[in-house]
């Protein structure tokens, strides 16, 4: 009996020693620093944004189709009925939720790159504005962060101005994704939607349009700044019809977020990209960024490169119900001059050299 008790006591002593050793080892492991936690939150913020824009619409559509063939078929049927009833809402003001602009996640998103907004001139709340956003890049990070989220202080820099951002109309045909876009303040880049914002919501509205669009994304690569703008004049015509001032903006660093495989003009891959662009509204790009676990690996996340969006001087535009071609060309030329001035005055401040030029096609 004494032998059994002695053995048990020895085992208990050994267990206590093992537990104490394990605790000391655990306490010796360095805990994540505040900087490490911040970096992880920034990475997660960017990850959820990229996945939302690339997959939310398609995954939601596939899920609803799947549910049609299950006992939950009533859910997609009711949602389809809702979409039909709600079809025109994106072009009639949408359903913007101001609380989403103040999400803490957007501050982590901003700090990942980081993204900064620079004001060069005041915008009076007595006018409406069309802000030209350049360049398109791959995913329009600068335009989204500055004009949709409140993380860079747009409303503080431009008091009395409400910013909106337009995107492909086809995105608003995807289930669930359309609700996500509208809640953030995005609208279809259509005449009807832009006209509504500039005519039915008073003054103090600034509608940001990524003018280069899908075609410009094909020329997106570091060290080259090419804009598709020479024959893009619809935004000028809309500005004249509604008397909205034209405001150039440029996001320095936007083209440095991804690496793209660029095919030469005339190649069969380039022609396939062009055909896709005409059919579905955007050009499929072969690009890559950093991986999820390491910035040295390849993946689909953007590289952490600073983006500085500079908002330039507004070009005053009169209200003309039916502007002539000559008048449109005149204000289009004035806008290009203002954009070139903005670029040349700020390029050396935000990572470019004096010899860098803005190529407009």
């Amino acid at each position: 009996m004494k032998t059994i008790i002695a053995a048990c006591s020895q085992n208990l002593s050994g267990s206590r020693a093992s537990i104490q050793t394990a605790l000391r080892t655990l306490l010796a492991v360095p805990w994540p620093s505040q900087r490490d936690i911040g970096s992880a939150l920034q990475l997660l913020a960017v990850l959820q944004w990229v996945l939302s824009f690339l997959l939310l619409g398609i995954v939601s559509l596939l899920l609803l189709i799947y549910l049609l063939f299950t006992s939950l078929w009533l859910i997609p049927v009711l949602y389809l009925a809702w979409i039909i009833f709600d079809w025109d809402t994106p072009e009639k003001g949408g359903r913007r939720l101001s609380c989403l602009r103040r999400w803490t996640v957007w501050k982590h998103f901003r700090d990942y790159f980081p993204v900064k907004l620079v004001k060069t001139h005041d915008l009076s709340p007595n006018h409406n504005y069309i802000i030209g956003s350049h360049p398109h890049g791959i995913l329009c990070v600068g335009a989204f962060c500055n004009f949709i989220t409140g993380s860079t202080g747009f409303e503080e820099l431009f008091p009395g101005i409400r910013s909106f951002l337009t995107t492909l109309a086809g995105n608003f045909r995807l289930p669930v994704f359309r609700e996500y876009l509208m809640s953030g303040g995005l609208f279809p880049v259509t005449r009807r939607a832009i006209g509504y914002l500039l005519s039915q919501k008073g003054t103090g509205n600034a509608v940001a349009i990524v003018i280069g669009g899908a075609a410009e994304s094909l020329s997106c690569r570091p060290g080259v700044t090419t804009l598709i703008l020479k024959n893009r004049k619809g935004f000028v015509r809309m500005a004249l019809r509604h008397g909205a001032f034209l405001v150039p903006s440029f996001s320095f660093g936007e083209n440095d977020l991804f690496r793209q495989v660029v095919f030469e003009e005339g190649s069969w891959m380039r022609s396939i990209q062009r055909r896709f662009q005409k059919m579905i509204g955007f050009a499929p790009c072969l690009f890559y960024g950093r991986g999820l676990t390491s910035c040295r690996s390849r993946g689909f996340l953007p590289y952490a490169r600073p983006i500085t969006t500079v908002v330039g001087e507004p070009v005053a535009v009169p209200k003309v119900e039916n502007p002539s071609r000559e008048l449109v060309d005149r204000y289009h030329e004035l806008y290009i001059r203002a954009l070139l001035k903005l670029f040349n005055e700020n390029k050396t401040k935000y990572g470019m050299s004096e010899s860098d030029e803005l190529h407009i096609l």
Side-chain angles (χ1 to χ4, degrees):
M1 186 69 179
K2 292 180 179 180
T3 304
I4 295 174
I5 293 174
C8 289
S9 299
Q10 187 176 1
N11 288 337
L12 288 173
S13 299
S15 298
R16 291 193 195 99
S18 298
I19 293 173
Q20 290 173 353
T21 301
L23 287 174
R24 282 195 294 269
T25 303
L26 180 62
L27 293 174
V29 175
W31 290 86
S33 65
Q34 188 174 0
R35 181 179 180 180
D36 292 335
I37 295 174
S39 297
L41 290 175
Q42 293 168 14
L43 191 64
L44 289 174
V46 173
L47 176 63
Q48 66 82 27
W49 179 79
V50 172
L51 291 179
S52 296
F53 269 82
L54 294 182
L55 299 177
L56 180 59
I58 299 299
V59 171
S60 299
L61 178 61
L62 295 176
L63 178 60
L64 290 176
I65 293 174
Y66 168 76
L67 291 177
L68 278 173
F69 300 95
T70 69
S71 58
L72 300 175
W73 61 269
L74 189 59
I75 294 177
V77 169
L78 290 176
Y79 185 71
L80 177 60
W82 162 252
I83 289 181
I84 295 173
F85 173 78
D86 195 54
W87 191 259
D88 291 333
T89 298
E91 294 187 320
K92 292 184 176 180
R95 280 188 299 274
R96 180 175 181 173
L97 299 178
S98 298
C99 61
L100 294 186
R101 292 172 63 89
R102 297 189 294 270
W103 270 6
T104 304
V105 68
W106 300 131
K107 294 182 180 179
H108 297 305
F109 179 88
R110 171 201 64 195
D111 294 339
Y112 170 84
F113 299 96
V115 182
K116 181 181 178 182
L117 180 64
V118 175
K119 164 186 167 181
T120 62
H121 293 78
D122 292 327
L123 298 182
S124 170
N126 297 322
H127 300 286
N128 285 325
Y129 303 89
I130 290 181
I131 300 178
S133 179
H134 311 274
H136 182 283
I138 297 294
L139 293 179
C140 304
V141 172
F144 176 85
C145 192
N146 288 298
F147 302 129
I148 290 299
T149 79
S151 61
T152 56
F154 183 92
E155 294 179 350
E156 290 74 24
L157 286 174
F158 301 100
I161 304 297
R162 297 176 295 275
S163 61
F164 305 91
L165 180 63
T166 58
T167 185
L168 290 174
N171 290 330
F172 295 87
R173 305 301 178 238
L174 294 172
V176 181
F177 191 45
R178 69 191 294 274
E179 321 300 340
Y180 176 78
L181 294 176
M182 283 193 291
S183 65
L186 284 101
F187 293 84
V189 60
T190 62
R191 293 180 181 178
R192 186 181 180 189
I194 297 172
Y196 185 94
L197 293 172
L198 296 177
S199 63
Q200 302 297 320
K201 298 180 90 53
T203 59
N205 301 297
V207 182
I209 303 175
V210 186
I211 298 170
E216 196 170 276
S217 65
L218 295 178
S219 302
C220 169
R221 60 184 184 271
V224 178
T225 308
T226 302
L227 304 184
I228 306 298
L229 180 59
K230 189 172 294 185
N231 295 318
R232 300 289 175 97
K233 301 179 181 180
F235 73 102
V236 178
R237 187 171 288 104
M238 287 294 297
L240 285 164
R241 286 176 177 173
H242 297 280
F245 288 14
L246 291 168
V247 183
S249 74
F250 195 93
S251 293
F252 294 91
E254 183 74 46
N255 283 352
D256 299 329
L257 304 183
F258 293 95
R259 300 291 184 268
Q260 183 181 177
V261 180
V262 179
F263 301 101
E264 296 296 329
E265 290 291 344
S267 65
W268 64 274
M269 281 299 296
R270 191 71 162 189
S271 63
I272 290 176
Q273 288 179 316
R274 296 293 189 191
R275 289 177 183 177
F276 264 90
Q277 179 189 330
K278 292 180 180 179
M279 289 189 296
I280 59 180
F282 69 90
C285 303
L286 296 179
F287 65 89
Y288 64 89
R290 59 156 291 178
L292 181 61
T293 58
S294 171
C295 60
R296 296 181 181 87
S297 61
R298 291 188 179 184
F300 57 89
L301 294 178
Y303 292 107
R305 303 286 188 268
I307 303 173
T308 304
T309 300
V310 184
V311 179
E313 182 179 4
V315 177
V317 176
K319 185 175 182 179
V320 181
E321 188 67 28
N322 295 302
S324 64
R325 179 180 299 179
E326 291 76 16
L327 190 62
V328 171
D329 290 342
R330 175 187 170 190
Y331 280 94
H332 184 262
E333 181 61 30
L334 290 174
Y335 176 82
I336 291 179
R337 289 181 186 175
L339 176 61
L340 289 171
K341 178 183 177 182
L342 174 71
F343 178 81
N344 290 324
E345 288 180 351
N346 292 277
K347 60 184 179 181
T348 57
K349 299 178 184 178
Y350 305 113
M352 304 184 80
S353 66
E354 187 65 42
S355 60
D356 286 326
E357 296 182 354
L358 191 62
H359 302 282
I360 296 179
L361 301 179

